[in-house]
């Protein structure tokens, strides 16, 4: 029994999802003639109370398009030092948009209004790049699935309004936050200018991210997607998977969260673990004692066909998901409890 906890991207479509894919009505989405893509975009825009939505092949492309829509070359965005847009999108912010990132030393990947305010370059000081965008991540990936309080985002929004900055939310796992904290998606829609939401993480589809946003911001979104090579044809098959996921895979995220908490509790009791970050959603980040290397621990788990991620800086990551069954969960907890 292979137990793959490296990421929530490793899931395969369920039989129900495959059936939805097989039965999808499709058309050419570059002509905006795919009814299933149109339906998914419509539904996502309504869910977040946003004007528009656009389907992308990946979360990185949706984030990169958003950065492009908000900035001009030479400008600067503000994000946490662990942000996905800075660390894990291949340098796309500079490659695609010609912008630099001002990194903020946040808490578990989350930043606050005072830090944002402090990171803004004075607009009339022409020696520095012009600050035009703030990128937040919810939940945070490298920060261990941490969730923002809405009030924190509200305060950041006020700073953005005062200093004419755009606000993009990288919501690859926003649904996890919404379920964990019992929040209303429309609250995020009312605070951010653009939000990307992944379907291929906890929601379990093979691909797809929807970017939702305000009309003024989304004006060139379809052109930017085309430039990035993201114009897709009969992609309604994948949008059908997304619609299926909205119906069947959202509320069940709480099961992933419960199992992640249980893993976290066992790790906290283990004498080979130095520290476990607070576990709010489906990601567990922990650190080993000095005398046990990450490589050895990961290899020992591999011996049991259990796979987890090394995030560098001593961080190990476990991510629970749709394909992590209760049988796997019992075995994994046993292996951890008996680890020597
Ligand atoms: C996974 C992820 C993305 C999107 O990554 P892709 O590999 O392009 O799907 C964006 N932001 C965060 C925080 C993520 O975890």
């Amino acid at each position: 029994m292979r137990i793959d906890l490296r990421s929530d991207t490793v899931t395969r479509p369920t039989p129900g999802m495959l059936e939805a894919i097989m039965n999808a009505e499709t058309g050419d989405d570059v002509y905006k003639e795919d009814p299933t893509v149109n339906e998914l975009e419509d539904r996502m825009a309504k869910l977040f109370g946003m004007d528009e939505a656009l389907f992308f092949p990946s979360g990185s492309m949706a984030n990169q398009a958003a950065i492009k829509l908000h900035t001009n070359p030479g400008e600067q965005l503000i994000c946490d030092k662990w942000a996905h847009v800075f660390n894990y999108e291949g340098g796309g912010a500079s490659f695609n948009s010609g912008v630099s990132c001002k990194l903020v030393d946040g808490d578990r990947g989350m930043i606050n209004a005072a830090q944002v305010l402090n990171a803004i370059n004075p607009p009339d000081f022409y020696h520095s790049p012009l600050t035009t965008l703030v990128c937040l991540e919810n939940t945070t990936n490298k920060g261990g699935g941490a969730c923002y309080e809405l009030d924190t985002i509200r305060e950041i929004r006020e700073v953005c309004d005062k200093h004419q900055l755009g606000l993009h939310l990288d919501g690859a796992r926003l649904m996890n936050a919404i379920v964990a904290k019992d929040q209303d998606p429309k609250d995020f829609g009312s605070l951010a200018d653009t939000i990307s939401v992944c379907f291929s993480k906890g929601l379990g589809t093979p691909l797809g991210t929807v970017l939702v946003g305000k009309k003024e911001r989304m004006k060139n979104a379809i052109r930017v997607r085309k430039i990035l090579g993201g114009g897709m044809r009969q992609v309604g098959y994948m949008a059908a998977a997304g619609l299926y996921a909205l119906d069947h895979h959202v509320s069940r995220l709480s099961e992933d969260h419960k199992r992640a908490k249980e893993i976290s509790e066992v790790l906290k009791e283990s004498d080979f673990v130095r520290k476990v970050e607070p576990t709010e959603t489906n990601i567990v980040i922990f650190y080993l004692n000095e005398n046990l290397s990450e490589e050895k621990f990961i290899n020992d788990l591999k011996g049991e066909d259990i796979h987890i991620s090394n995030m560098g800086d001593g961080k190990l990551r476990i991510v629970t998901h749709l394909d992590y069954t209760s049988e796997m969960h019992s075995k994994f907890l046993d292996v951890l409890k008996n680890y020597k």
Side-chain angles (χ1 to χ4, degrees), residues 58-60 63 84 89 137 139 141 170 172-173 198 200-201:
S58 73
S60 296
N63 283 337
H84 196 279
E89 297 182 8
E137 197 172 301
T139 70
N141 180 339
D170 175 356
R173 295 188 181 83
C198 282
S200 60
K201 301 277 168 82

Side-chain angles (χ1 to χ4, degrees), residues 288 292-302 310 316:
L288 300 171
L292 175 61
S293 75
E294 288 83 35
E295 291 72 22
K296 173 161 172 30
F297 183 64
I298 285 178
N299 262 324
D300 288 345
L301 288 183
K302 267 190 197 151
N310 187 347
L316 293 176

Side-chain angles (χ1 to χ4, degrees), residues 7-9 57-63 82-85 88-89 137-142 170-173 196 198 200-201 208-209 283 317:
S7 176
D8 46 7
T9 55
S58 73
S60 296
M61 196 191 283
N63 283 337
W82 288 344
H84 196 279
V85 294
Y88 300 123
E89 297 182 8
E137 197 172 301
N138 195 29
T139 70
T140 62
N141 180 339
K142 213 175 175 183
D170 175 356
R173 295 188 181 83
S196 57
C198 282
S200 60
K201 301 277 168 82
T209 288
I283 303 178
R317 190 186 75 170

Side-chain angles (χ1 to χ4, degrees), residues 39-93:
E39 186 185 338
L40 180 66
E41 289 173 347
D42 205 43
R43 193 156 158 199
M44 287 295 283
K46 286 204 175 83
L47 183 64
F48 285 90
M50 285 287 208
D51 303 322
E52 288 183 21
L54 195 63
F55 190 61
F56 283 79
S58 73
S60 296
M61 196 191 283
N63 283 337
Q64 290 303 314
I67 293 170
K68 186 75 190 159
L69 293 173
H70 281 279
T71 61
N72 293 303
E75 295 176 352
Q76 191 165 70
L77 66 81
I78 296 170
C79 64
D80 183 86
K81 63 185 183 299
W82 288 344
H84 196 279
V85 294
F86 175 70
N87 288 285
Y88 300 123
E89 297 182 8

